[in-house]
C-alpha cells in the first residue's frame, strides 16, 4: 500500500523508489537522479547529526542555485534541522543581524561568500562543499522522525519597511506549497520545470517543492539572465517557468531581439508584483501563451492565480485550492463586493509565525488569519483585485491613488521600459505623485510628453507632478522594485526633469 506523502522528504523517497533513474535536477552539464538525490541527502543528514547538531538547530544556507544546494536542503530537512536562507546579495552588515537573530550552528555557503559571513561575525563552522559519501556515512545514525508540523525553513522578508522578519515554514506547509502549485500550473506527465528564481527565497523554494512533489525534472540556473533562460527553454524543452514581472520583461525584450524556439512552454507564472497588462500583451505576442498571474507573499507563497482559460486580466485571480481569502475593514469585518479592504488569508501552506518574534506573530496572525498588509477587493465572481500595499497608497488631497494604476498608464507608452511610482510629502495636498522611468534603448520622450500621454488613460489628479529618468530602477535582492529607495532618492536629490 502506498503511503500518502505529507512532506517533501516523503515525496523524494517515493520517487526514488518508484523511478530511481529519473532525472531530478540538471544544472549546467551536471544531472542527478531521484535515487541519488535521496541517497546523498540521507548521508548528509547523518553527517549533520555526527557534527553534534540536533533537531531544531539552525543551518545557515547562502548559495546560488545548484544541485549541491538542493542536496543541502534535503539533508537539513531529513535531520530535523531548520534551514536559514541568506540571500547571496546581502552585505555583511545585513547578514550580521540575521545571524544574531536566527543563531545558526553551522553554515553551507559558496566559497566566494565565506569572507562575507566571517565579516558578519559568523562564529561557527562554514563548509562550502558537501562531504563525500564515505565521510558522510562513516558513522550512520538513525534519522529522527520528522513530521509535517516540524519547522523546516526560515525565510527572511526583504525588510523594505523595517528589520527583516524570519518567516517560519514547516515541512508540511512547504509540501502543501508544492502540491497546490503543481495542480495550479497544469501538471502533466512530461513536465520540465525551469527554475530562474533564487532558492534563497520562498519563490525559488516553491518551484523546488512543485518539482519534487510531482517527481518531474527541474532545470536550475545559477542566477537569472534572460538569454540563458531562453536558451534553456529551447535546449531542454521546458514546459513551465516563472518569475517576477521584471524578469519576464527581460525575457520578452531578449526574445524580441533574438527569438528562440519556445513552443514547449505551456504555462509561465508571473507574480511577486503587479503584472502590467501591457507586459501581458507583449508576452503573448512573443511567446504564444498567456502569462499566469499570481498573487503571493513570503508568508504563504502562492495565494491566488488567474486560471487558464478563465482569467480576468489585471486581477489577482481566484484563491487557490485550500486557501481562504477575505477582504476586511479596520475592525476585521468583511466588506461588500467591490469595496477595498485589507486582504487576510489562511490555508495549509501558510507559515506558522515569525522566528523569535511572538509579538509580531500574534499581531499578524493571532486570530488564525494572516494579515497581509495588502489592499484589495473581490468582484461578484470571486476574483480578487490587488489595490496596492497599505503603506504605498498615495493620498493626494483626500483622494486615494494606486501607484500601480499610474504605472500602467505610463507603461503604455512605447518608449517606456520600466516605471516606479511613489507618493512624496506635500505641504498642500498631503502627498504628490512622482514617477521614475527607464526608457528603452534608442527611445526618447520628455517628462511633459509622458505626462500628457498618461493623461489619456487616467484622471488628471492621478498624474505625476514629477518625472525622473533613470538608467535603472533600484531593486531588492529578489528583483522587486524598491519604492522606498525611490522615495529616498527624490527627497534627497533634485530631479533633473519635472512636470509643470
Amino acid at each position: 500500500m502506498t503511503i500518502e506523502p505529507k512532506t517533501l522528504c516523503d515525496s523524494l523517497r517515493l520517487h526514488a523508489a518508484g523511478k530511481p533513474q529519473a532525472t531530478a535536477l540538471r544544472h549546467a552539464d551536471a544531472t542527478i537522479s531521484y535515487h541519488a538525490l535521496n541517497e546523498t541527502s540521507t548521508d548528509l543528514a547523518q553527517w549533520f547529526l555526527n557534527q553534534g547538531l540536533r533537531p531544531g538547530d539552525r543551518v545557515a544556507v547562502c548559495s546560488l542555485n545548484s544541485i549541491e544546494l538542493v542536496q543541502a536542503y534535503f539533508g537539513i530537512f531529513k535531520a530535523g534541522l531548520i534551514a536559514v536562507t541568506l540571500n547571496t546579495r546581502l552585505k555583511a552588515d545585513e547578514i550580521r543581524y540575521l545571524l544574531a537573530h536566527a543563531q545558526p550552528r553551522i553554515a553551507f555557503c559558496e566559497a566566494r561568500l565565506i569572507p562575507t559571513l566571517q565579516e558578519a561575525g559568523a562564529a561557527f563552522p562554514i563548509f562550502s562543499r558537501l562531504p563525500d559519501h564515505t565521510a558522510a556515512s562513516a558513522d550512520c545514525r538513525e534519522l529522527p522522525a520528522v513530521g509535517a508540523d516540524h519547522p523546516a525553513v526560515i525565510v527572511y522578508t526583504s525588510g523594505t519597511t523595517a528589520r527583516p522578519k524570519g518567516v517560519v515554514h514547516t515541512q508540511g506547509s512547504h509540501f502543501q506549497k508544492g502540491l497546490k502549485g503543481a495542480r495550479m500550473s497544469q501538471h502533466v506527465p512530461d513536465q520540465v520545470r525551469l527554475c530562474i528564481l533564487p532558492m534563497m527565497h520562498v519563490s525559488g523554494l516553491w518551484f523546488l517543492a512543485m518539482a519534487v512533489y510531482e517527481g518531474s525534472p527541474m532545470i536550475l540556473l545559477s542566477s537569472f539572465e534572460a538569454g540563458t533562460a531562453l536558451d534553456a527553454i529551447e535546449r531542454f524543452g521546458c514546459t513551465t517557468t516563472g518569475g517576477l514581472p521584471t524578469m519576464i520583461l527581460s525575457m520578452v525584450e531578449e526574445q524580441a531581439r533574438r527569438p528562440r524556439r519556445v513552443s514547449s512552454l505551456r504555462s509561465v507564472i508571473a507574480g511577486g508584483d503587479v503584472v502590467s497588462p501591457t507586459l501581458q500583451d507583449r508576452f503573448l505576442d512573443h511567446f504564444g501563451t498567456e502569462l499566469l498571474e499570481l498573487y503571493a507573499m513570503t508568508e504563504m507563497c502562492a495565494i491566488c492565480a488567474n486560471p487558464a482559460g478563465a482569467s480576468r486580466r489585471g486581477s489577482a485571480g481566484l484563491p487557490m485550492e485550500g486557501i481562504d481569502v477575505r477582504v476586511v475593514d479596520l475592525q476585521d469585518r468583511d466588506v461588500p463586493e467591490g469595496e477595498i479592504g485589507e486582504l487576510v488569508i489562511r490555508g495549509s501552506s501558510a507559515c506558522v509565525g515569525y522566528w523569535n518574534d511572538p509579538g509580531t506573530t500574534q499581531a499578524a496572525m493571532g486570530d488564525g488569519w494572516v494579515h497581509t498588509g495588502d489592499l484589495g477587493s473581490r468582484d461578484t465572481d470571486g476574483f480578487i483585485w490587488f489595490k496596492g500595499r497599505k503603506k504605498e497608497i498615495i493620498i493626494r488631497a483626500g483622494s486615494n491613488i494606486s501607484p500601480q494604476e499610474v504605472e500602467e498608464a505610463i507603461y503604455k507608452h512605447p518608449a517606456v521600459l520600466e516605471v516606479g511610482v511613489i507618493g512624496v510629502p506635500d505641504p498642500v495636498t498631503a502627498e504628490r505623485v512622482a514617477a521614475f522611468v527607464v526608457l528603452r534603448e534608442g527611445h526618447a520622450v520628455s517628462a511633459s510628453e509622458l505626462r500628457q500621454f498618461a493623461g489619456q488613460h487616467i484622471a488628471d489628479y492621478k498624474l505625476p507632478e514629477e518625472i525622473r529618468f533613470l538608467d535603472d530602477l533600484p531593486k531588492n535582492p529578489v528583483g522587486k522594485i524598491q519604492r522606498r529607495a525611490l522615495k529616498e532618492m527624490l527627497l534627497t536629490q533634485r530631479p533633473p526633469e519635472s512636470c509643470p
Side-chain angles (χ1 to χ4, degrees):
M1 184 178 74
T2 302
I3 298 176
E4 186 70 21
K6 296 182 179 179
T7 70
L8 287 183
C9 292
D10 292 341
S11 291
L12 177 58
R13 296 184 184 102
L14 184 67
H15 298 312
K19 47 181 181 182
Q21 300 311 310
T23 298
L25 303 166
R26 179 186 292 273
H27 178 243
D29 293 324
T31 62
I32 189 169
S33 68
Y34 271 96
H35 172 76
L37 178 58
N38 187 52
E39 290 295 306
T40 55
S41 59
T42 295
D43 290 342
L44 183 57
Q46 292 171 336
W47 182 83
F48 279 127
L49 297 175
N50 292 343
Q51 307 312 302
L53 276 67
R54 294 294 177 262
D57 285 344
R58 275 78 64 205
V59 179
V61 182
C62 190
S63 170
L64 296 177
N65 292 349
S66 67
I67 291 174
E68 291 75 17
L69 174 60
V70 177
Q71 290 172 303
Y73 272 133
F74 276 100
I76 291 167
F77 298 158
K78 287 182 178 182
L81 306 172
I82 305 172
V84 179
T85 65
L86 304 177
N87 196 294
T88 58
R89 295 170 61 182
L90 296 181
K91 304 300 183 183
D93 285 348
E94 296 168 302
I95 291 176
R96 184 176 294 109
Y97 170 79
L98 304 184
L99 297 182
H101 189 253
Q103 294 288 302
R105 292 191 55 197
I106 194 171
F108 169 67
C109 175
E110 287 186 34
R112 66 182 180 87
L113 298 173
I114 290 178
T116 303
L117 260 68
Q118 292 172 333
E119 183 184 347
F124 44 75
I126 303 173
F127 64 102
S128 60
R129 298 186 63 86
L130 301 181
D132 63 37
H133 179 85
T134 304
S137 57
D139 181 16
C140 294
R141 295 170 178 263
E142 183 177 352
L143 297 182
V146 180
D149 60 349
H150 192 95
V153 61
I154 301 173
V155 182
Y156 280 90
T157 61
S158 56
T160 56
T161 57
R163 283 289 197 181
K165 299 188 294 290
V167 178
V168 181
H169 279 284
T170 65
Q171 302 254 2
S173 68
H174 196 27
F175 171 80
Q176 287 292 325
K177 289 199 292 288
L179 181 155
K180 290 174 171 55
R183 292 177 179 175
M184 176 271 296
S185 61
Q186 305 170 32
H187 170 53
V188 290
D190 59 345
Q191 192 85 277
V192 180
R193 295 188 176 275
L194 172 65
C195 185
I196 63 176
L197 292 157
M199 284 189 287
M200 294 291 93
H201 188 262
V202 71
S203 54
L205 285 169
W206 180 48
F207 262 76
L208 173 62
M210 285 190 282
V212 173
Y213 166 79
E214 63 192 5
S216 60
M218 187 163 73
I219 313 302
L220 297 175
L221 298 187
S222 297
S223 56
F224 173 72
E225 194 279 319
T228 305
L230 294 176
D231 290 343
I233 293 169
E234 182 177 62
R235 178 183 176 188
F236 301 111
C238 299
T239 59
T240 184
T241 188
L244 293 164
T246 53
M247 301 166 79
I248 302 297
L249 174 61
S250 296
M251 292 172 67
V252 169
E253 293 288 317
E254 176 63 20
Q255 182 69 358
R257 187 186 68 81
R258 184 168 75 83
R260 274 75 156 187
R261 293 187 297 272
V262 293
S263 59
S264 60
L265 283 175
R266 299 191 187 102
S267 64
V268 176
I269 301 165
D273 209 341
V274 173
V275 185
S276 160
T278 302
L279 174 58
Q280 295 179 55
D281 289 338
R282 296 191 65 214
F283 184 85
L284 179 60
D285 288 343
H286 290 287
F287 288 84
T289 186
E290 290 194 352
L291 283 173
L292 183 62
E293 297 171 78
L294 187 77
Y295 168 55
M297 63 186 304
T298 305
E299 284 81 349
M300 185 178 278
C301 200
I303 299 166
C304 297
N306 258 313
S311 67
R312 192 151 301 177
R313 297 185 70 191
S315 80
L318 296 170
M320 293 177 63
E321 175 188 347
I323 294 176
D324 298 317
V325 179
R326 295 169 57 211
V327 186
V328 303
D329 61 17
L330 294 176
Q331 286 73 45
D332 281 348
R333 298 172 302 197
D334 292 284
V335 303
E337 291 176 352
E339 290 193 13
I340 296 175
E342 182 181 6
L343 300 175
V344 296
I345 57 177
R346 69 179 179 186
S348 55
S349 55
C351 71
V352 294
Y354 300 107
W355 182 258
N356 198 26
D357 197 345
T360 301
T361 299
Q362 177 64 29
M365 57 195 77
D367 60 356
W369 292 83
V370 179
H371 290 248
T372 66
D374 291 333
L375 298 175
S377 64
R378 186 194 301 271
D379 66 22
T380 55
D381 295 321
F383 282 78
I384 301 297
W385 295 80
F386 179 78
K387 300 297 184 180
R389 295 283 298 172
K390 273 185 175 181
K391 296 181 179 180
E392 290 177 356
I393 290 293
I394 302 166
I395 304 176
R396 180 186 179 196
S399 297
N400 289 353
I401 302 171
S402 165
Q404 291 79 15
E405 185 181 8
V406 182
E407 288 169 359
E408 174 54 22
I410 297 173
Y411 263 127
K412 292 179 184 295
H413 196 286
V416 173
L417 178 65
E418 287 187 314
V419 58
V421 169
I422 60 169
V424 291
D426 185 272
V428 177
T429 61
E431 285 187 294
R432 65 182 186 275
V433 182
F436 293 76
V437 176
V438 177
L439 296 179
R440 297 185 187 282
E441 187 175 353
H443 289 72
V445 63
S446 69
S448 57
E449 289 171 337
L450 200 52
R451 187 175 189 273
Q452 185 177 16
F453 174 86
Q456 301 173 33
H457 304 282
I458 55 176
D460 288 349
Y461 76 90
K462 299 177 182 178
L463 293 174
E465 287 96 334
E466 301 179 58
I467 294 178
R468 179 169 186 172
F469 295 97
L470 302 176
D471 293 332
D472 295 289
L473 295 184
K475 299 180 178 70
N476 69 11
V478 297
K480 199 170 181 177
I481 294 172
Q482 285 190 303
R483 288 188 172 85
R484 186 181 69 174
L486 292 174
K487 182 171 292 190
E488 291 173 351
M489 187 183 304
L490 193 60
L491 293 175
T492 57
Q493 302 177 28
R494 181 180 178 84
E497 185 170 1
S498 300
C499 302

